[in-house]
PDB file of all heavy atoms in Angstrom:
ATOM      1  N   ASN D 650      79.170 122.691 100.852  1.00  0.00           N
ATOM      2  CA  ASN D 650      78.785 122.343 102.216  1.00  0.00           C
ATOM      3  C   ASN D 650      78.857 120.885 102.521  1.00  0.00           C
ATOM      4  O   ASN D 650      78.130 120.348 103.442  1.00  0.00           O
ATOM      5  CB  ASN D 650      77.350 122.864 102.540  1.00  0.00           C
ATOM      6  CG  ASN D 650      77.271 124.386 102.452  1.00  0.00           C
ATOM      7  OD1 ASN D 650      78.206 125.050 102.908  1.00  0.00           O
ATOM      8  ND2 ASN D 650      76.186 124.880 101.857  1.00  0.00           N
ATOM      9  N   LEU D 651      79.774 120.128 101.848  1.00  0.00           N
ATOM     10  CA  LEU D 651      79.962 118.769 102.167  1.00  0.00           C
ATOM     11  C   LEU D 651      81.018 118.653 103.267  1.00  0.00           C
ATOM     12  O   LEU D 651      82.011 119.379 103.303  1.00  0.00           O
ATOM     13  CB  LEU D 651      80.421 117.973 100.946  1.00  0.00           C
ATOM     14  CG  LEU D 651      79.465 117.871  99.787  1.00  0.00           C
ATOM     15  CD1 LEU D 651      80.018 117.056  98.617  1.00  0.00           C
ATOM     16  CD2 LEU D 651      78.152 117.286 100.198  1.00  0.00           C
ATOM     17  N   LYS D 652      80.813 117.728 104.205  1.00  0.00           N
ATOM     18  CA  LYS D 652      81.719 117.588 105.388  1.00  0.00           C
ATOM     19  C   LYS D 652      82.869 116.629 104.984  1.00  0.00           C
ATOM     20  O   LYS D 652      82.812 115.438 105.222  1.00  0.00           O
ATOM     21  CB  LYS D 652      80.971 117.110 106.597  1.00  0.00           C
ATOM     22  CG  LYS D 652      80.018 118.135 107.180  1.00  0.00           C
ATOM     23  CD  LYS D 652      79.379 117.695 108.431  1.00  0.00           C
ATOM     24  CE  LYS D 652      78.320 116.616 108.207  1.00  0.00           C
ATOM     25  NZ  LYS D 652      77.606 116.203 109.375  1.00  0.00           N
ATOM     26  N   ILE D 653      83.889 117.223 104.340  1.00  0.00           N
ATOM     27  CA  ILE D 653      84.987 116.386 103.784  1.00  0.00           C
ATOM     28  C   ILE D 653      86.250 117.133 103.956  1.00  0.00           C
ATOM     29  O   ILE D 653      86.311 118.339 103.787  1.00  0.00           O
ATOM     30  CB  ILE D 653      84.637 116.102 102.284  1.00  0.00           C
ATOM     31  CG1 ILE D 653      85.772 115.208 101.687  1.00  0.00           C
ATOM     32  CG2 ILE D 653      84.461 117.306 101.472  1.00  0.00           C
ATOM     33  CD1 ILE D 653      85.341 114.669 100.311  1.00  0.00           C
ATOM     34  N   GLN D 654      87.319 116.455 104.345  1.00  0.00           N
ATOM     35  CA  GLN D 654      88.611 117.095 104.539  1.00  0.00           C
ATOM     36  C   GLN D 654      89.750 116.161 104.157  1.00  0.00           C
ATOM     37  O   GLN D 654      89.627 114.927 104.165  1.00  0.00           O
ATOM     38  CB  GLN D 654      88.817 117.491 105.991  1.00  0.00           C
ATOM     39  CG  GLN D 654      88.785 116.338 106.986  1.00  0.00           C
ATOM     40  CD  GLN D 654      89.068 116.762 108.396  1.00  0.00           C
ATOM     41  OE1 GLN D 654      89.670 117.785 108.630  1.00  0.00           O
ATOM     42  NE2 GLN D 654      88.673 115.968 109.356  1.00  0.00           N
ATOM     43  N   LEU D 655      90.865 116.754 103.758  1.00  0.00           N
ATOM     44  CA  LEU D 655      92.121 116.031 103.506  1.00  0.00           C
ATOM     45  C   LEU D 655      93.030 116.170 104.715  1.00  0.00           C
ATOM     46  O   LEU D 655      93.181 117.261 105.238  1.00  0.00           O
ATOM     47  CB  LEU D 655      92.884 116.645 102.309  1.00  0.00           C
ATOM     48  CG  LEU D 655      92.469 116.162 100.907  1.00  0.00           C
ATOM     49  CD1 LEU D 655      93.060 117.096  99.890  1.00  0.00           C
ATOM     50  CD2 LEU D 655      92.900 114.735 100.648  1.00  0.00           C
ATOM     51  N   ILE D 656      93.563 115.023 105.193  1.00  0.00           N
ATOM     52  CA  ILE D 656      94.524 115.103 106.305  1.00  0.00           C
ATOM     53  C   ILE D 656      95.848 114.514 105.799  1.00  0.00           C
ATOM     54  O   ILE D 656      95.945 113.312 105.541  1.00  0.00           O
ATOM     55  CB  ILE D 656      94.026 114.325 107.531  1.00  0.00           C
ATOM     56  CG1 ILE D 656      92.679 114.841 108.028  1.00  0.00           C
ATOM     57  CG2 ILE D 656      95.004 114.393 108.646  1.00  0.00           C
ATOM     58  CD1 ILE D 656      92.047 114.089 109.157  1.00  0.00           C
ATOM     59  N   PRO D 657      96.885 115.317 105.677  1.00  0.00           N
ATOM     60  CA  PRO D 657      98.173 114.819 105.222  1.00  0.00           C
ATOM     61  C   PRO D 657      99.021 114.252 106.324  1.00  0.00           C
ATOM     62  O   PRO D 657      99.072 114.801 107.431  1.00  0.00           O
ATOM     63  CB  PRO D 657      98.901 116.111 104.616  1.00  0.00           C
ATOM     64  CG  PRO D 657      98.215 117.245 105.279  1.00  0.00           C
ATOM     65  CD  PRO D 657      96.892 116.815 105.813  1.00  0.00           C
ATOM     66  N   LEU D 658      99.691 113.159 106.027  1.00  0.00           N
ATOM     67  CA  LEU D 658     100.692 112.593 106.968  1.00  0.00           C
ATOM     68  C   LEU D 658     102.054 112.554 106.239  1.00  0.00           C
ATOM     69  O   LEU D 658     102.097 112.522 105.006  1.00  0.00           O
ATOM     70  CB  LEU D 658     100.292 111.122 107.305  1.00  0.00           C
ATOM     71  CG  LEU D 658      99.012 110.930 108.190  1.00  0.00           C
ATOM     72  CD1 LEU D 658      98.761 109.424 108.346  1.00  0.00           C
ATOM     73  CD2 LEU D 658      99.085 111.628 109.497  1.00  0.00           C
ATOM     74  N   HIS D 659     103.106 112.497 107.051  1.00  0.00           N
ATOM     75  CA  HIS D 659     104.436 112.375 106.516  1.00  0.00           C
ATOM     76  C   HIS D 659     104.594 111.031 105.767  1.00  0.00           C
ATOM     77  O   HIS D 659     104.235 109.979 106.313  1.00  0.00           O
ATOM     78  CB  HIS D 659     105.485 112.497 107.615  1.00  0.00           C
ATOM     79  CG  HIS D 659     106.894 112.194 107.180  1.00  0.00           C
ATOM     80  ND1 HIS D 659     107.557 112.953 106.308  1.00  0.00           N
ATOM     81  CD2 HIS D 659     107.732 111.116 107.564  1.00  0.00           C
ATOM     82  CE1 HIS D 659     108.765 112.401 106.060  1.00  0.00           C
ATOM     83  NE2 HIS D 659     108.888 111.338 106.825  1.00  0.00           N
ATOM     84  N   PHE D 660     105.173 111.093 104.564  1.00  0.00           N
ATOM     85  CA  PHE D 660     105.504 109.875 103.822  1.00  0.00           C
ATOM     86  C   PHE D 660     106.993 109.647 103.886  1.00  0.00           C
ATOM     87  O   PHE D 660     107.752 110.496 103.406  1.00  0.00           O
ATOM     88  CB  PHE D 660     105.028 110.031 102.360  1.00  0.00           C
ATOM     89  CG  PHE D 660     105.201 108.737 101.570  1.00  0.00           C
ATOM     90  CD1 PHE D 660     104.421 107.649 101.882  1.00  0.00           C
ATOM     91  CD2 PHE D 660     106.055 108.685 100.460  1.00  0.00           C
ATOM     92  CE1 PHE D 660     104.507 106.472 101.146  1.00  0.00           C
ATOM     93  CE2 PHE D 660     106.216 107.508  99.714  1.00  0.00           C
ATOM     94  CZ  PHE D 660     105.406 106.387 100.083  1.00  0.00           C
ATOM     95  N   PRO D 661     107.436 108.553 104.497  1.00  0.00           N
ATOM     96  CA  PRO D 661     108.857 108.370 104.801  1.00  0.00           C
ATOM     97  C   PRO D 661     109.643 107.876 103.571  1.00  0.00           C
ATOM     98  O   PRO D 661     110.283 106.878 103.594  1.00  0.00           O
ATOM     99  CB  PRO D 661     108.844 107.307 105.916  1.00  0.00           C
ATOM    100  CG  PRO D 661     107.584 106.530 105.666  1.00  0.00           C
ATOM    101  CD  PRO D 661     106.589 107.449 105.108  1.00  0.00           C
ATOM    102  N   ASN D 662     109.575 108.683 102.457  1.00  0.00           N
ATOM    103  CA  ASN D 662     110.256 108.245 101.240  1.00  0.00           C
ATOM    104  C   ASN D 662     111.772 108.200 101.414  1.00  0.00           C
ATOM    105  O   ASN D 662     112.384 107.172 101.010  1.00  0.00           O
ATOM    106  CB  ASN D 662     109.829 109.156 100.102  1.00  0.00           C
ATOM    107  CG  ASN D 662     109.772 110.622 100.491  1.00  0.00           C
ATOM    108  OD1 ASN D 662     110.372 111.082 101.466  1.00  0.00           O
ATOM    109  ND2 ASN D 662     109.015 111.434  99.740  1.00  0.00           N
TER     110      ASN D 662
END
Side-chain angles (χ1 to χ4, degrees):
N650 296 319
L651 297 181
K652 292 184 286 185
I653 181 170
Q654 64 176 336
L655 276 168
I656 303 178
L658 293 177
H659 170 65
F660 187 65
N662 39 24

